[in-house]
Amino acid sequence: MTSNALATDAAFKALATAWTTREGRILDLFATPDRFERFSVAYGDLLIDFSKTAISDAILTQLLELARAGRVEAQRDAMFAGDHINLTEDRAVLHTALRDQASEAIPVDGIDVKPGVVETLARLGDFASGVREGRIAGARGGVITDVVNIGIGGSDLGPAMVTLALAPYHDGPRCHFVSNVDSAHITDVLKGLDPATTLFIVASKTFTTVETMTNAATARAFIVNALGEEAVGAHFAAVSTALDKVGAFGIPADRIFGFWDWVGGRYSVWSAIGLPLMLAIGPDRFREFLAGAAAMDEHFRSAPLDQNLPVLLGLIGLWHRNACGFPSRAIIPYDQRLARLPAYLQQLDMESNGKSVTRDGAAVARPTGPIVWGEPGTNAQHAFFQLLHQGTDIVPVEFLVGAQSHEPALKNHQDLLVANCLAQSEALMRGRTLEEAKAQLRAKGLADDKMAEIAPHRVFPGDRPSVTIAYATLDPFTLGRIIALYEHRVFVEAAVWGINAFDQWGVELGKELATQFLPAVTGGALPASASASTSGLIAHLDAFSGG
Ligand code: F6P
């Protein structure tokens, strides 16, 4: 089931015309008194406000038409039904099954996947509880105080992001994350850790990723050097779909947790890949996290398109990318514990939708996935917001903000955080005219000639769109809802573009060349096909490599 190219073409053209022929600014749209009510949608305490975009009633109608033309609902149903929608890898896409709360079977190729999911979750829960309660200890009986997750991409970004996000709920061992093959990463993490009380989780869907295997070998040596070869079993656990490859590492079977090829790496935080979070917050809280995502799944499946949060967020993305032509979007959580969310969404969004061919292999007709980037506010305000306000490119911003912090005694901080978040979206939209800038300077007593010189620098074009996602507080349930919201938003955009969001062939070529270049870096020959730039760089690095 693919999108309908002719119908989506027509809908995209109509939207592009709506953008180029629009009259007035975003601010003018607020002349309609109920604009906020009409252009914001709440699902419980989770609200998306898109009233500060240029979307009007007519444009929203056209966007909903685009969703229908793109057969979003049929494609969504095909995903939930376990169809092999990941065509190039001939796989189902069922990360939603990992958090499904219903009792019905979820068949993939005629076999119900639910029993395996339930059983693995129970095994993970037993293991996590054992470690947290000290029943599962180090080789010399030491209670595990530190957990180091070794993984990269989806085997790192998800667990790292959610573990930081839910810090107020931590009551288990400290969690650390090693991903980069750069020796600096594992060295800095291991510094200060006691091997006798450290547990390593080797997390790799394929169990072949060179960064992870290299770091795992270094971690293994760390344990062996301190505690002996026989200690490896007590200080390692593994998470993978390639169970055959894990055994060779020396990890006992009861510490190996599987998942399935119908779970993409960047969609895997709900699987055993989420073990660090479960160790940190406990199995019950982890289930709340899953329940949040399940609630969003249910909403995505059942809410009408015009009330459907992931559909609306996806349509806003399509509007900004294709009708307005904006090349990037910024994710700015006003929530320090979501500091890794932009990086997580970079993989989720850019690895999924950074595609140039449609599902049937033809060149795409229009730009696909935007560049996704960001940092938490308020820090971002003091870094790159200058460009957002006065730069020559327009970057739609997605703000995230909670109503309550976890530090009620520091409510003054929370008040400032919220005020800043709201002020930024308002400032982006309103801007400041030359006349307003002059009036401000005049009020400060500047002479006319000085005022004329300075005022242009204090003009803000304004009319810059943003979306605000607001929620009560960042608890496990809400975090689950937010991540699932973004997963489905990526799905909606891919569905309309008619691309496969679930493969990632674009990362392969670099990996292949790295394998070819390694011999040259270690003194051997460079492949003849390598450019003069690469051979020159190797010679330069070799000259300064210190041996
Ligand atoms: O290189 C890209 C990628 O395949 C990601 O899609 C994946 O999340 C990451 O590498 C890690 O892969 P693995 O979990 O198999 O080690």
Side-chain angles (χ1 to χ4, degrees), residues 151-197:
I152 196 163
S155 301
D156 165 72
L157 287 163
M161 187 272 281
V162 297
T163 303
L164 174 63
L166 296 177
Y169 300 89
H170 288 199
D171 54 4
R174 289 180 289 269
C175 290
H176 314 265
F177 295 86
V178 172
S179 52
N180 202 324
V181 76
D182 184 343
S183 52
H185 203 176
I186 192 155
T187 301
D188 290 352
V189 168
L190 295 188
K191 202 179 288 168
L193 293 190
D194 178 358
T197 59

Side-chain angles (χ1 to χ4, degrees), residues 497-521:
W497 284 321
I499 59 176
N500 179 7
F502 299 103
D503 59 13
Q504 56 283 320
W505 300 108
V507 296
E508 292 302 319
L509 179 58
K511 283 188 198 171
E512 284 165 26
L513 291 184
T515 310
Q516 290 175 28
F517 290 179
L518 183 60
V521 171

Side-chain angles (χ1 to χ4, degrees), residues 152-155 203-207 209 212 265-266 347 351 504 507 511:
I152 196 163
S155 301
S204 175
K205 181 175 171 184
T206 54
F207 228 74
T209 305
T212 301
R266 52 193 174 274
Q347 189 200 14
E351 203 172 69
Q504 56 283 320
V507 296
K511 283 188 198 171

Side-chain angles (χ1 to χ4, degrees), residues 479-497:
L479 183 65
R481 287 187 296 171
I482 290 172
I483 301 171
L485 165 68
Y486 272 101
E487 285 178 348
H488 296 322
R489 169 290 176 95
V490 166
F491 179 90
V492 168
E493 292 182 346
V496 173
W497 284 321

